[in-house]
Amino acid sequence: MSGKPAQHSAGKDKRTQTVIWSVVVGVVVVCAVGAFSGDSDTSVPAPAADERSGTVPILRAAADSQGICYGWELLDVYDEVSVGSNLGDGTTVVDAPGCARWIAVSANVRYTSSSSESEDSATIRIKGSDDIEFADLAAIETRLGRFGLDEDAFLDDPGWAVTRAATILPLLAAERGLAEPAATPTAAPSTAAAPLPDAGNDFWRDRWIYVLSSVGLFLLAALFLAVGVRQRRSHRGRVPAQRPGAGAAGRTRSRR
């Protein structure tokens, strides 16, 4: 009769091991899928339609007042995402007819997948016509930070940041003495400038794979611990109780 409980216990242990290995394989598969899929969308978004349409008339008014053309350029590494100026959306000021003097902001944004070890990056440059000194362009580039237009702003919302920076160019050009201050608009713009969106928390986008893997390993360790405790208790329950007064194995009672 003792064979049946032993067989039942062996079958139960085998089923337990099957469950454990199923969980292990499941955790490994989930972590692998997350690690290799990652955040595949690394494209740089272009400025919204209202951002472009609201920027062009501001630049046009400044160009008419100061005699300097203003524009923007947004790049995704080597690909052109958006370009515009006082001449219109999609029109660059570089070598444009009627724009002997010009200043433009050029932003090159690079997004990387969450599985990559490289960090997202943004490079902001101020370009200008040959008659504008490099020191003036560098000073304008530096002063963009006063308006919150730093690398983080261009990474959070490249389209908003590049068009916003373009509208600041006339003011910074006047500060450097490149032109007279632009005329103050007498009427409110037809389209209100879009506010900077909430940057949110970038923690999950960069680290969700590691968090998922850690949680999976933690659950796996807890499962192993629970199964180990249960098997230990089961093993203790199967050991036969020793008779009271029984001597140690292999020891004989002494006779007088």
Side-chain angles (χ1 to χ4, degrees), residues 200-251:
N201 191 344
D202 197 44
F203 177 85
W204 289 109
R205 189 175 74 86
D206 293 338
R207 301 174 178 86
W208 70 272
I209 295 177
Y210 306 105
V211 174
L212 179 62
S213 301
S214 300
V215 172
L217 293 176
F218 175 78
L219 294 177
L220 187 60
L223 177 62
F224 277 125
L225 180 62
V227 171
V229 172
R230 183 174 181 181
Q231 287 183 342
R232 184 176 179 83
R233 291 178 177 175
S234 178
H235 177 72
R236 287 180 176 179
R238 293 197 301 267
V239 175
Q242 193 175 25
R243 293 194 313 250
R251 181 180 299 177

Side-chain angles (χ1 to χ4, degrees), residues 162-184:
V162 74
T163 51
R164 174 64 175 170
T167 62
I168 301 298
L169 293 179
L171 172 62
L172 299 181
E175 288 183 356
R176 292 294 299 179
L178 299 176
E180 295 295 326
T184 304

Side-chain angles (χ1 to χ4, degrees), residues 45-137:
D50 61 330
E51 292 170 341
R52 301 193 304 270
S53 62
T55 301
V56 170
I58 296 176
L59 301 184
R60 183 179 297 121
D64 294 341
S65 175
Q66 296 179 322
I68 300 178
C69 292
Y70 297 101
W72 76 84
E73 176 188 55
L74 179 60
L75 303 175
D76 183 350
V77 187
Y78 301 108
D79 298 328
E80 182 181 285
V81 177
S82 175
V83 66
S85 65
N86 58 285
L87 301 176
D89 181 19
T91 303
T92 180
V93 293
V94 181
D95 299 329
C99 288
R101 302 187 74 200
W102 57 270
I103 301 176
V105 55
S106 176
N108 194 330
V109 179
R110 178 176 178 267
Y111 288 144
T112 59
S113 62
S114 58
S115 59
S116 174
E117 295 182 357
S118 302
E119 297 289 338
D120 298 341
S121 62
T123 304
I124 303 95
R125 294 287 181 267
I126 300 298
K127 300 179 179 180
S129 52
D130 294 337
D131 62 313
I132 300 178
E133 298 291 337
F134 174 79
D136 293 328
L137 298 176

